[in-house]
Amino acid sequence: MPGNKGVKYEGPGKVEVHEIDYPEFTLQDGPGVNPGNVGRKLPHAAILKSVATNICGSDQHMVRGRTTAPPGLVLGHEITGEVVETGPDVEFIKNGDLVSVPFNIACGRCRNCKEGKTGICENVNPDRPGSAYGYVDMGGWVGGQAQYVLVPYADWNLLKFPDKDRAMEKILDLAMLSDIFPTGFHGCVTAGVGPGSTVYVAGAGPVGLAAATSAFLLGAAVVIVADLNEQRLAQARSFGCETVDVTKGDPRDQIEQILGVPEVDCGVDAVGFEARGHGREAESERPATVLNTLMDVTRAGGALGIPGLYVTGDPGAADEAARQGSLSIRIGLGWAKSHSLATGQCPVMRYNRQLMQAILHDRVQIAKAVNATPIPLEEAPRGYHEFDEGAARKYVLDPNGMLPKAA
């Protein structure tokens, strides 16, 4: 049995790479593991050798101490890997398959899974519907920022790449299928993006850039990306986006300069609960700012896609209401404008196969759009630090030295 190393959250602002247990076909107790999941038998699982595993903005919320994540939690929910072992109940996935792992953990058996709502599976998290690898309050499934990781319900969850050699040629693009590409795409689909749309994307981090890429893929005429980080705005402009610098004031005014009118057809929130204000308030946290701005700038009858993360508990929030996930949202404005809002985890399996085909057939270059940057697993602490400082990059960890020769 080979050794295993993984990235652990050790407390606010601190991650470290440690020796961790090699995966077993029984869920063991450990930091963050739900007591109801301890000892769970997993004959339907597969063990993967990680080829690529990404650092996500959602991970950063935990690392900043903005959740109740316990020290010792192995991080990582964006996983691409090679199957090295399967349980006795796995029928179709085979050793040697190169696969993408949806960040949602889903059983494929419950009502929600059968309806395609894999982000809110009823059988993998004893506390509430919905689960993910290496994430707080998500059932305690061990994270994938590691050399080896276990994936339950393998026949259901894993997306096999049809040609392994061809896939390795585009592995940095395909590594985005586990989360941010489908998540950005979902934000655009639920916002109603289509041919000729004008789209406002709040946030120029990796999910925002993935949403902007998705908007173009869906036929948008103009994609406007807003942020307060000039490096990230420059990255958005590099593939044809218009940009809004929210430090310069009300986005409505800048949207009007671009479009001639101060509103768009579709709005996407790719920021979430750690949002900052606009103009003079850009340095202070205003968690409801993005949602209220989207309602303000999206036309009457339009829709808002909200893939940005909001939580039920935020220990670092500025006030007691926000600590409970309660924000001062102008729901009256949204009601008056007949807005539709879609929230929650992206159901990755709804989109990942189609987006895989778009990558393999050169219809999109998502790795270039998000500036995917491979680094060794041992450099994960540096990646987390630089990402937290606002680097305009999507850091891709290379746990087993398989990316340099492929990228």
Side-chain angles (χ1 to χ4, degrees), residues 5-7 17 53 145-147 375-381 397-399:
K5 290 182 179 180
V7 180
V17 179
T53 177
Q145 288 175 11
Q147 291 175 303
I375 60 174
L377 183 72
E378 289 73 20
E379 294 185 22
L397 302 180
D398 182 8

Side-chain angles (χ1 to χ4, degrees), residues 151-394:
V151 176
Y153 304 102
D155 281 329
W156 168 252
N157 281 306
L158 295 178
L159 174 66
K160 177 184 172 181
F161 301 137
D163 184 316
K164 193 171 181 179
D165 291 337
R166 186 180 179 195
M168 286 302 291
E169 292 173 1
K170 296 179 179 291
I171 194 63
L172 287 182
D173 294 278
L174 294 170
M176 304 304 135
L177 290 174
S178 57
D179 183 354
I180 66 164
F181 195 9
T183 293
F185 195 84
H186 180 62
C188 289
V189 169
T190 53
V193 177
S197 297
T198 56
V199 186
Y200 179 84
V201 178
V207 171
L209 297 173
T213 302
S214 299
F216 284 126
L217 191 60
L218 288 164
V222 182
V223 179
I224 303 169
V225 178
D227 207 294
L228 47 74
N229 180 319
E230 175 52 35
Q231 280 189 312
R232 291 182 171 181
L233 291 174
Q235 183 64 27
R237 290 191 294 269
S238 74
F239 59 95
C241 299
E242 302 288 342
T243 57
V244 162
D245 184 343
V246 298
T247 67
K248 296 181 179 178
D250 192 337
R252 283 182 67 90
D253 299 331
Q254 297 178 63
I255 290 170
E256 186 168 21
Q257 292 174 12
I258 295 166
L259 297 177
V261 292
E263 63 181 15
V264 294
D265 299 322
C266 315
V268 179
D269 172 6
V271 179
F273 74 103
E274 288 192 75
R276 297 190 176 276
H278 298 153
R280 294 178 180 178
E281 297 182 341
E283 294 304 315
S284 58
E285 196 164 294
R286 297 286 189 273
T289 293
V290 170
L291 293 172
N292 289 331
T293 297
L294 286 173
M295 287 187 279
D296 186 37
V297 304
T298 301
R299 69 175 181 85
L304 313 180
I306 308 173
L309 176 68
Y310 290 87
V311 294
T312 55
D314 175 7
D319 58 63
E320 186 56 37
R323 290 188 191 102
Q324 308 301 317
S326 180
L327 309 180
S328 298
I329 298 168
R330 296 184 63 193
I331 193 65
L333 175 61
W335 186 93
K337 297 177 78 171
S338 294
H339 284 155
S340 300
L341 290 79
T343 67
Q345 285 189 34
C346 163
V348 171
M349 278 193 277
R350 190 176 298 174
Y351 309 107
N352 63 351
R353 186 174 299 277
Q354 298 94 313
L355 295 176
M356 174 188 72
Q357 296 288 11
I359 290 169
L360 292 176
H361 294 281
D362 299 316
R363 299 301 180 189
V364 66
Q365 292 181 304
I366 184 65
K368 183 177 180 181
V370 302
N371 196 15
T373 304
I375 60 174
L377 183 72
E378 289 73 20
E379 294 185 22
R382 173 177 70 85
Y384 270 96
H385 174 73
E386 292 179 1
F387 190 39
D388 193 48
E389 290 291 306
R393 298 179 181 275
K394 175 67 172 177

Side-chain angles (χ1 to χ4, degrees), residues 16-265:
E16 293 181 352
V17 179
H18 290 282
E19 295 285 341
I20 63 173
D21 292 336
Y22 187 82
E24 299 180 36
F25 290 98
T26 301
L27 190 54
Q28 304 296 315
D29 197 5
V33 179
N34 191 297
N37 268 343
V38 174
R40 187 168 179 164
K41 302 298 182 183
L42 306 169
H44 44 68
I47 296 173
L48 271 56
K49 181 179 183 180
S50 296
V51 174
T53 177
N54 312 333
I55 296 175
C56 181
S58 298
D59 298 321
Q60 286 286 18
H61 294 308
M62 290 187 290
V63 173
R64 292 186 189 116
R66 297 299 295 268
T67 72
T68 56
L73 185 73
V74 179
L75 299 169
H77 56 269
E78 300 190 17
I79 308 159
T80 307
E82 181 182 21
V83 177
V84 294
E85 189 175 356
T86 58
D89 290 353
V90 177
E91 185 175 0
F92 303 110
I93 290 293
K94 306 297 182 185
N95 287 358
D97 287 348
L98 187 63
V99 295
S100 178
V101 184
F103 79 90
N104 323 112
I105 301 173
C107 72
R109 297 154 165 80
C110 70
R111 174 180 177 175
N112 284 340
C113 283
K114 290 179 179 180
E115 293 177 356
K117 301 171 184 174
T118 55
I120 43 174
C121 173
E122 297 174 331
N123 289 332
V124 289
N125 184 355
D127 283 345
R128 63 188 184 202
S131 189
Y133 304 88
Y135 212 84
V136 60
D137 297 331
M138 288 288 186
W141 299 89
V142 178
Q145 288 175 11
Q147 291 175 303
Y148 295 90
V149 62
L150 182 133
V151 176
Y153 304 102
D155 281 329
W156 168 252
N157 281 306
L158 295 178
L159 174 66
K160 177 184 172 181
F161 301 137
D163 184 316
K164 193 171 181 179
D165 291 337
R166 186 180 179 195
M168 286 302 291
E169 292 173 1
K170 296 179 179 291
I171 194 63
L172 287 182
D173 294 278
L174 294 170
M176 304 304 135
L177 290 174
S178 57
D179 183 354
I180 66 164
F181 195 9
T183 293
F185 195 84
H186 180 62
C188 289
V189 169
T190 53
V193 177
S197 297
T198 56
V199 186
Y200 179 84
V201 178
V207 171
L209 297 173
T213 302
S214 299
F216 284 126
L217 191 60
L218 288 164
V222 182
V223 179
I224 303 169
V225 178
D227 207 294
L228 47 74
N229 180 319
E230 175 52 35
Q231 280 189 312
R232 291 182 171 181
L233 291 174
Q235 183 64 27
R237 290 191 294 269
S238 74
F239 59 95
C241 299
E242 302 288 342
T243 57
V244 162
D245 184 343
V246 298
T247 67
K248 296 181 179 178
D250 192 337
R252 283 182 67 90
D253 299 331
Q254 297 178 63
I255 290 170
E256 186 168 21
Q257 292 174 12
I258 295 166
L259 297 177
V261 292
E263 63 181 15
V264 294
D265 299 322

